[in-house]
Amino acid sequence: MRRFAVIALSAALVLLGACTQTIPDDAYVVGFYNVENLFDTVHDRGKNDQAFTPGGENAWTEDKYEKKLSNIATVIRAMSEKNGRWHTLLGMAEVENDHVLEDLVAREEIAGAGYKFVHVESPDVRGIDCALLYRPDQFKLLDTKTLPYDFNTKRGIVFEKTLEEQREFKTRDVLRVRGELDGEMMAVYVCHWPSRTGEKGSDLRCRAAEIVHDDIVALEKKYPGINVIVMGDMNDNPEDECMAVWLQGRETIEEMAAGDLFSPFLRMHKDGFGTEEYHGEWNIFDCIFVNGALTDTEAAGSLHILKSDPFHYGYVFDPPFLTQQEGRYAGTPFRTFSGGQFIDGYSDHYPTYIIISK
């Protein structure tokens, strides 16, 4: 965990005698992982994936593909060993197609989890999509929906792109999966919002947040009391405008009002945690939010988010094997490529997760 400038907090945790809370036996792990370019070796028509073919610039061979699958499966298994259970729900970003997901869930390292997956192709020019792994013995799938990106803002976002640029713009759809967990209805949104070039593109991410928030409002009206989880690589930190204003993510449960979401990783980012590093700055772009229904600890017998330690509600999974030990990126997530060369890493992002229980 990235805890620069949190000496006082670390000392407090030591004095309390526990950095993490005990996970109840009946709890569920819900997480997100940007798996960094999980491509097979075959060019898909209409996708800009030629770099991930044997003759492409990444020289992406079957051996490298199989190693990438093994590495991602190893991370999922390691999290299960740490938590004493498999993830019930695991959102993913940067997966190419159904084929790579079929190969992933069949890997020996995680086959015992019995994962199924939801994936829908989106118009992203790179050919990367969002997906959700789920355990069908715990999560009953009801329906799937995608939220396409558009520029039809209802609250007056001013866009930098011209109308022609807007018509040509393509990015990942948001994946929404609705189901039942432990007898309660739940909707999970898996996101990978538009990237940032320098500091540009915040207007695009604000629109993405508006699209998700508007859908949540409509869903909560249709299904009163529904549990909602939003997760993804947002390409912004939890305190940034798109998250705090347009998605209405709040730092504490106490300050939440109607329509707000609880943002566990906002406090964690302020306290020095990070999931990816850029030019020496640590960010938490890989966020998870929950709605008010999942923060109500007074509702007896209902699902709610649990604390991860006395101060926080989220987890960043960053064991030493997931961290680069030497070279240009030492101390950062152990990525797949460095300087254009395959270095047999995992991802340039650490996974995040929360625990929910009754």
Side-chain angles (χ1 to χ4, degrees), residues 115-161:
Y115 282 123
K116 301 293 184 182
F117 64 84
V118 178
H119 164 259
V120 179
E121 292 284 349
S122 70
D124 182 81
V125 293
R126 288 176 55 201
I128 54 173
D129 306 316
C130 297
L132 181 71
L133 304 189
Y134 68 96
R135 289 187 57 183
D137 59 325
Q138 295 182 338
F139 183 78
K140 179 183 177 182
L141 181 65
L142 296 177
D143 60 46
T144 299
K145 177 183 178 180
T146 55
L147 309 181
Y149 192 92
D150 62 42
F151 290 86
N152 302 323
T153 178
K154 298 179 179 63
R155 286 179 275 168
I157 297 173
V158 177
F159 298 108
E160 296 180 2
K161 291 186 178 296

Side-chain angles (χ1 to χ4, degrees), residues 293-305:
L294 281 168
T295 64
D296 187 1
T297 58
E298 301 301 319
S302 64
L303 291 169
H304 58 275
I305 189 171

Side-chain angles (χ1 to χ4, degrees), residues 38 65 69 95 97-107 110 115-117 119 133:
L38 181 53
Y65 171 58
L69 288 170
V95 299
N97 51 34
D98 282 2
H99 175 221
V100 300
L101 291 164
E102 289 167 354
D103 287 349
L104 177 62
V105 300
R107 293 292 306 186
I110 63 173
Y115 282 123
K116 301 293 184 182
F117 64 84
H119 164 259
L133 304 189

Side-chain angles (χ1 to χ4, degrees), residues 249-268:
R250 302 292 174 249
E251 182 176 350
T252 67
I253 292 173
E254 291 72 23
E255 66 184 297
M256 291 175 65
D260 290 344
L261 299 176
F262 174 46
S263 179
F265 292 91
L266 200 165
R267 168 72 185 270
M268 293 182 71

Side-chain angles (χ1 to χ4, degrees), residues 279-293:
H279 288 177
E281 180 180 351
W282 279 92
N283 303 294
I284 296 186
F285 290 171
D286 308 270
C287 292
I288 304 173
F289 302 78
V290 301
N291 72 335

Side-chain angles (χ1 to χ4, degrees), residues 43 51-52 59 230 237 247 262 298 332 349:
H43 169 55
F52 287 91
V230 180
N237 282 306
L247 195 60
F262 174 46
E298 301 301 319
T332 69
H349 292 246

